[in-house]
Amino acid sequence: MSSPSSAPAPAARLRALRPDWLSDPKVWRTEILAGLVVGLALIPEAISFSIIAGVDPAIGLFASFTMAVTISVVGGRRAMISAATGAVALVIAPLNREHGFGYLVSAVILAGVFQIVLGALGVAKLMRFVPRSVMVGFVNSLAILIFLAQVPQMHDVPWAVYPLLAGGLALLVLFPKVTTVVPAPLVSIAVLTAITVAAGIAVPTVGDEGELPSSLPVPGLPDVPFTLDTLTTVAPYALAMALVGLMESLMTAKLVDEITDTHSSKTRESVGQGIANIVTGFFGGMGGCAMIGQTMINVKVSGARTRLSTFLAGVFLLVLCVVFGPLVSDIPMAALVAVMVMVCFATFDWHSIAPKTLKRMPAGEIAVMVVTVACVVATENLAIGVVVGSVTAMVIFARRVAHLALVTPVAAPDGRSVVYRVTGALFFASTNDLVGQFDYAADPDRIVIDLSAAHIWDASSVAALDAVEEKYRQRGKKVEITGLNDSSADLHTRLTGELTGH
């Protein structure tokens, strides 16, 4: 029996369970200030996306609040920001326009259910099939889209916007060289706001983007008839939203993994996104997914690494809107544009377009990156660009390895048999020419096909080998297949002779 003194005290047990960063004041300061900066940056974005979806600005702001707070608890990627996004707004805007807001909310809830199901089925594992060239194209196109979204704020505006923008960029570049105790974006926003208010400079402000909410969101059920007709109307939009949201969220999570050199659970992130959208839907929000721009502000610019910054970004967003609405409304858009322009610069992979890199990179890899960027910029849809880029990469890869399956004949010393050595990966692309590489008429009566340096990947390969055997059989010659590894032998045994109807 152990003595009472050998058991750890309750306080000691709690200290052992809590994360190390909880006792580090520097981490707390970084996370709190990062959350404040992101909360400020979310306001104009959420308002803009609300306009795209055709709903009141408060709907987008509430969605950003509930998404950020919920995902901070249930999500898989620490420090990643999820909120109302343009991609989701584009998907559900037609539903809201044609059927009304109740159907939009229903689609958000159903999309969350779809995301949970897809996450449980392991859809996140498909991320392993996204090549690096597509990832680079995703990052670069994202930086371009973020910049293009700022262009309207720099066109046809009062002349005072331009010196404010230049001043904001200067602060963002120079202030970190003085100190990193306070995030440069927060300093830039505070300084530019103080200048415009004190000097009475008339420039576009956050308040010009839309009215901020003055009360807290209230949960409730969507105002729609709960019928099969409603389900069939909502389901296609919900599925599209679920897929687009997961694609952007998982790609963003993978990017943050690389930046922070840490691993995150993509399955948990998929399920977490679904839970966050369900909660958002019941609070009357427009739904959302991971936001790459705000995530880059949080992770790369502000240095946040924990869930605290994500949670506080949502909390600060709501507090800023409801409590400090008049003050937030006075923030010049030039200050937020400066922050986003700096995010673009930091997000873009400049190494990928350096002359030295382009000279060494295979042409196919460059083509995939360019196709991904072109599709994303043309459609303003990251999911479409990633899918097209991945398919392009697969086609290029298939063409490349299709030429790696070689057939080399080696005559036996007795002259009564011949050995064909097959090397490479045998699949639908590489086996197209396999049947034509044997000399059926001139070969002796015994043919050995040695596959010890090859691997059978699919039914097309088995069918090609069956065709070779059949051609020799028609000439009264015997074929022996040797050297199969275990998985190839299993596939060949199961399928040989079963792939044709005669």
Side-chain angles (χ1 to χ4, degrees):
M1 182 175 178
S2 61
S3 62
S5 60
S6 64
R13 288 199 299 269
L14 286 175
R15 284 196 298 271
L17 289 173
R18 71 183 184 184
D20 293 338
W21 62 266
L22 283 175
S23 59
D24 189 344
K26 292 183 179 179
V27 174
W28 277 87
R29 183 182 64 238
T30 299
E31 299 295 314
I32 292 172
L33 293 177
L36 179 57
V37 172
V38 173
L40 287 168
L42 279 172
I43 294 173
E45 295 281 311
I47 294 173
S48 299
F49 298 147
S50 299
I51 294 171
I52 292 174
V55 298
D56 189 83
I59 303 301
L61 291 165
F62 288 155
S64 295
F65 161 68
T66 53
M67 286 292 298
V69 169
T70 306
I71 206 69
S72 69
V73 178
V74 300
R77 175 65 258 177
R78 295 187 298 273
M80 191 167 78
I81 304 298
S82 292
T85 59
V88 168
L90 288 170
V91 171
I92 59 178
L95 180 63
N96 179 60
R97 186 169 55 249
E98 295 171 14
H99 298 279
F101 180 67
Y103 282 80
L104 181 150
V105 173
S106 301
V108 172
I109 296 172
L110 184 58
V113 174
F114 283 148
Q115 288 178 330
I116 293 175
V117 173
L118 290 171
L121 292 175
V123 70
K125 295 178 181 177
L126 295 177
M127 288 303 297
R128 71 183 68 176
F129 297 107
V130 178
R132 183 184 180 281
S133 51
V134 174
M135 190 68 184
V136 173
F138 167 82
V139 171
N140 290 347
S141 58
L142 202 48
I144 294 171
L145 284 184
I146 294 172
F147 179 80
L148 292 177
Q150 312 311 311
V151 172
Q153 299 293 341
M154 297 183 281
H155 176 68
D156 195 22
V157 292
W159 68 268
V161 168
Y162 301 108
L164 286 172
L165 179 60
L169 290 172
L171 280 171
L172 290 168
V173 173
L174 299 177
F175 190 79
K177 297 179 180 180
V178 178
T179 179
T180 56
V181 173
V182 182
L186 185 58
V187 174
S188 178
I189 292 171
V191 170
L192 295 190
T193 303
I195 291 174
T196 54
V197 172
I201 302 174
V203 292
T205 64
V206 170
D208 297 331
E209 297 294 307
E211 186 178 352
L212 301 181
S214 57
S215 60
L216 298 175
V218 179
L221 293 175
D223 184 17
V224 295
F226 292 91
T227 62
L228 183 60
D229 183 60
T230 300
L231 179 63
T232 56
T233 301
V234 166
Y237 294 95
L239 181 59
M241 175 185 164
L243 293 174
V244 169
L246 280 185
M247 179 75 73
E248 293 206 25
S249 298
L250 295 178
M251 289 294 288
T252 304
K254 187 175 180 181
L255 176 61
V256 178
D257 286 352
E258 294 183 1
I259 293 173
T260 60
D261 195 24
T262 57
H263 175 72
S264 63
S265 172
K266 305 304 182 295
T267 298
R268 178 176 172 180
E269 184 61 39
S270 302
V271 174
Q273 289 289 332
I275 296 172
N277 272 305
I278 291 174
V279 171
T280 298
F282 281 120
F283 274 93
M286 56 181 278
C289 62
M291 297 189 75
I292 183 67
Q294 275 64 24
T295 298
M296 289 299 99
I297 293 176
N298 197 45
V299 174
K300 206 164 187 178
V301 179
S302 301
R305 292 292 182 272
T306 76
R307 300 179 189 277
L308 181 62
S309 58
T310 306
F311 176 82
L312 290 178
V315 172
F316 281 141
L317 168 66
L318 192 65
V319 171
L320 288 168
C321 292
V322 176
V323 180
F324 299 102
L327 179 62
V328 172
S329 297
D330 288 334
I331 295 175
M333 286 301 298
L336 298 175
V337 170
V339 172
M340 297 309 295
V341 169
M342 186 57 65
V343 168
C344 299
F345 186 84
T347 302
F348 196 91
D349 187 351
W350 297 99
H351 177 72
S352 66
I353 60 171
K356 288 184 179 180
T357 304
L358 295 176
K359 286 180 181 179
R360 296 176 181 177
M361 191 72 66
E365 300 281 323
I366 298 173
V368 170
M369 181 181 70
V370 171
V371 166
T372 303
V373 172
C375 287
V376 172
V377 174
T379 63
E380 296 186 353
N381 190 316
L382 293 164
I384 292 177
V386 170
V387 170
V388 173
S390 297
V391 171
T392 303
M394 291 176 187
V395 171
I396 292 174
F397 174 77
R399 286 176 58 85
R400 185 182 302 161
V401 299
H403 302 294
L404 299 181
L406 303 175
V407 179
T408 307
V410 181
D414 57 9
R416 290 181 297 176
S417 63
V418 64
V419 177
Y420 283 94
R421 281 200 184 88
V422 182
T423 60
L426 302 182
F427 67 111
F428 64 91
S430 63
T431 54
N432 284 334
D433 301 325
L434 185 68
V435 178
Q437 297 190 50
F438 296 84
D439 193 349
Y440 302 100
D443 281 344
D445 292 340
R446 182 172 178 271
I447 296 90
V448 178
I449 301 178
D450 181 9
L451 296 176
S452 57
H455 186 94
I456 298 176
W457 286 104
D458 60 6
S460 298
S461 306
V462 178
L465 292 172
D466 284 353
V468 171
E469 288 189 81
E470 180 62 25
K471 285 183 177 291
Y472 277 117
R473 190 177 295 112
Q474 291 173 356
R475 292 169 172 79
K477 301 177 182 182
K478 182 180 179 182
V479 175
E480 180 184 356
I481 297 177
T482 64
L484 289 169
N485 58 40
D486 291 342
S487 60
S488 297
D490 178 66
L491 184 62
H492 185 265
T493 301
R494 284 189 289 112
L495 296 181
T496 184
E498 302 293 334
L499 300 173
T500 57
H502 55 276

